[in-house]
Amino acid sequence: MATDTTTSPAAHGAPGTAAAAPGPAPERLGTRAKLVLFVLCAAQFMIALDFSILNVSLPVLGADLGMSRANLQWAVTAFALPSGGFLLLFGRIADLYGRRRLFLTGLAVFAAASLLATLAWNPAAFLAARAVQGLGAAVIVPTGMSLLTTTFPEGPLRERALGISGTLLSLGFTIGVVMGGTLTDTFGWRSTMALLAGAGVLVLAAAPALLTESRHPKRPRIDVPGAVTVTGGLLAVIYALSTAAQRGFDGADVITALVLGVALLAAFVAVESRAAEPMVSLPMLRRRSVAWGNLAGLTTFSMMSTVVFLLTLYLQEIRGLSAFRTGLVFGVQGVAAAITGMTAARVIGRIGTRGTLLAGLLTQGALTAVLLLLGSGPSGTWLALTGVTLACVGHLWVIVSYGITATSGLPDHEQGLATGLVTSSQQIGLTVGIPLLSALASSRSDLLSGIHLALAVDVAVLLVVAVLVAVGLGKGGAKAGA
């Protein structure tokens, strides 16, 4: 493929981007670059908020709209299906037809859908709005990330930008838990969707003046067979895992969707190996940095989201905390995420991207192991607070370093695909961990022993993946080639 030489931010000399003239890249963010970063991170924060803000509102929402308990899962699944299933497709389309254009379109779709969800008059209208929200998120996430990586050149500036972005991603997920309960208790569940609509409008108003367009210099044909198989495969797998989180893996629809999803993803690999203009560059996927970086990202998101889920069960059902007080526990985790994100770039500067990635996986695993000491006594709340907060430090190190690892050494015209893979790892990670490990937790008659079993598996997965990533990346770190 040709190099991306069209309207990149560097060509326009935007502050904080790579200069057109030769010389070292600047190591400080200029005023305009800070504003660009703020807009892109605000969009990512908004999407992360949407992942969790509705969870504690579901019982109230169901009663208001007349949704049965069995159907409440669709409030989450309707968003997760398109937001995860269409990521790679929109990441590729943005590479070819303009990242800024698609980013703005995604913001408009998301804001409009959030308004529709706020005004929903019945379950069908609400679920349709959630699905359109998810579609908007599937546009915003990969285009926002690719705009970030093409705006900030590889090196200290990109590391700092990804550090801030990763911090806000984790912070948004955590703050959503706290805000969901607070807003629902004070103003009702509709206020959670109204908040997202307002945020979308604000970001959309600021973005056009700050973002410059970038795309591939040519417009090769879209790989339709590849797009159909990868999108269909991701939709089927996400549906199966999301549904299994509520009803288990023994349902005929879950098994059928899982088999279909795996078959379609296998067909996608076969299609891409023969396509003249593939949607995904298989040689890029064979790069050690891309493959092992995304494995680390998928693992950290799946295991940390599972810890949050298991501790929610523990704090509410064993310790008897209210939803609001449980949210406050995770609010402390959010503060730790903010502090860690601000210092992550310095950690990378000291021990390198590979060192930070491995240290993060090991730290997250070791400090999650502390939670195996949870009991039914009053000290359990403080132990849960300490364990999840400290494990979050390792989690943030992985988030920042895996994003750098998986996007380093790639030309601009492949950044949309690379960031699509990064964000797919995030979305799939958030989806896959909870159903798998919650099934383990529910396999024990005693909830506390079930939580201990699931946490033990969580720790084992983190430590095993840390070893695999260390071996897979070798000494080349983020610069490792195929």
Side-chain angles (χ1 to χ4, degrees):
M1 290 185 178
T3 303
D4 188 358
T5 57
T6 57
T7 54
S8 68
H12 290 276
T17 62
E27 295 190 1
R28 291 182 178 273
L29 296 174
T31 301
R32 183 180 178 84
K34 289 179 181 178
L35 291 173
V36 170
L37 181 59
F38 176 80
V39 166
L40 295 176
C41 287
Q44 302 288 346
F45 179 84
M46 177 181 68
I47 301 303
L49 202 66
D50 198 3
F51 265 99
S52 57
I53 197 170
L54 200 63
N55 288 348
V56 295
S57 310
L58 290 180
V60 178
L61 182 154
D64 184 42
L65 291 180
M67 294 177 68
S68 67
R69 176 178 288 271
N71 288 328
L72 279 181
Q73 61 143 330
W74 282 103
V76 177
T77 304
F79 177 85
L81 277 171
S83 67
F86 289 95
L87 274 171
L88 285 175
L89 176 60
F90 284 125
R92 185 57 174 154
I93 291 174
D95 276 348
L96 303 181
Y97 298 103
R99 295 159 187 144
R100 176 183 180 274
R101 180 185 301 174
L102 249 68
F103 181 74
L104 297 178
T105 301
L107 286 171
V109 169
F110 183 87
S114 298
L115 178 60
L116 178 59
T118 305
L119 303 174
W121 54 93
N122 59 30
F126 178 73
L127 294 179
R130 288 291 286 164
V132 178
Q133 267 187 324
L135 200 63
V139 178
I140 293 168
V141 172
T143 54
M145 280 290 287
S146 59
L147 282 169
L148 188 150
T149 56
T150 54
T151 297
F152 298 94
E154 204 170 315
L157 286 183
R158 184 182 294 180
E159 291 170 8
R160 192 175 308 164
L162 287 172
I164 295 171
S165 177
T167 299
L168 289 177
L169 181 69
S170 183
L171 197 59
F173 185 85
T174 303
I175 287 178
V177 177
V178 181
M179 291 187 68
T182 303
L183 287 173
T184 301
D185 287 347
T186 307
F187 302 108
W189 70 266
R190 293 179 189 273
S191 63
T192 63
M193 297 293 100
L195 175 67
L196 296 172
V201 170
L202 290 175
V203 177
L204 182 60
L210 293 169
L211 302 178
T212 53
E213 188 60 278
S214 67
R215 64 169 66 88
H216 194 282
K218 297 180 180 178
R219 292 191 179 182
R221 293 175 298 173
I222 290 289
D223 173 23
V224 175
V228 170
T229 50
V230 73
T231 303
L234 288 173
L235 286 171
V237 168
I238 292 170
Y239 170 81
L241 294 175
S242 299
T243 306
Q246 303 293 327
R247 297 194 279 108
F249 284 90
D250 53 352
D253 58 336
V254 173
I255 296 172
T256 301
L258 200 54
V259 171
L260 177 62
V262 172
L264 284 172
L265 291 176
F268 169 69
V269 174
V271 166
E272 296 304 277
S273 66
R274 296 178 175 84
E277 296 177 339
M279 178 179 173
V280 173
S281 167
L282 293 183
M284 188 188 79
L285 290 177
R286 288 193 288 267
R287 290 176 61 95
R288 286 183 287 166
S289 57
V290 174
W292 295 109
N294 278 293
L295 175 62
L298 187 148
T299 302
T300 195
F301 274 100
S302 61
M303 295 301 102
M304 197 67 202
S305 63
T306 299
V307 167
V308 172
F309 173 78
L310 293 173
L311 288 185
T312 300
L313 291 180
Y314 172 78
L315 293 170
Q316 293 189 12
E317 298 191 21
I318 296 178
R319 294 294 305 123
L321 269 65
S322 66
F324 176 70
R325 291 181 66 189
T326 299
L328 291 180
V329 171
F330 295 114
V332 177
Q333 178 196 5
V335 173
I339 296 172
T340 304
M342 288 188 292
T343 60
R346 295 181 183 177
V347 176
I348 291 174
R350 288 178 178 271
I351 64 176
T353 305
R354 177 180 179 274
T356 305
L357 185 64
L358 298 177
L361 288 169
L362 292 172
T363 300
Q364 185 181 339
L367 294 172
T368 300
V370 172
L371 298 174
L372 294 173
L373 301 175
L374 288 173
S376 56
S379 63
T381 301
W382 292 105
L383 182 62
L385 173 62
T386 303
V388 73
T389 300
L390 295 178
C392 183
V393 173
H395 174 59
L396 259 293
W397 286 349
V398 180
I399 288 178
V400 176
S401 53
Y402 107 86
I404 296 170
T405 301
T407 58
S408 293
L410 297 174
D412 277 358
H413 68 267
E414 288 189 342
Q415 285 295 333
L417 172 59
T419 54
L421 290 171
V422 167
T423 50
S424 292
S425 298
Q426 295 171 3
Q427 308 283 62
I428 294 171
L430 290 170
T431 304
V432 70
I434 292 175
L436 291 175
L437 295 190
S438 65
L440 278 179
S442 62
S443 68
R444 298 287 181 90
S445 57
D446 176 59
L447 177 59
L448 183 57
S449 65
I451 289 174
H452 283 160
L453 174 61
L455 286 171
V457 173
D458 188 300
V459 171
V461 169
L462 285 164
L463 298 181
V464 168
V465 169
V467 173
L468 292 175
V469 170
V471 173
L473 284 180
K475 294 183 178 180
K479 303 294 184 182

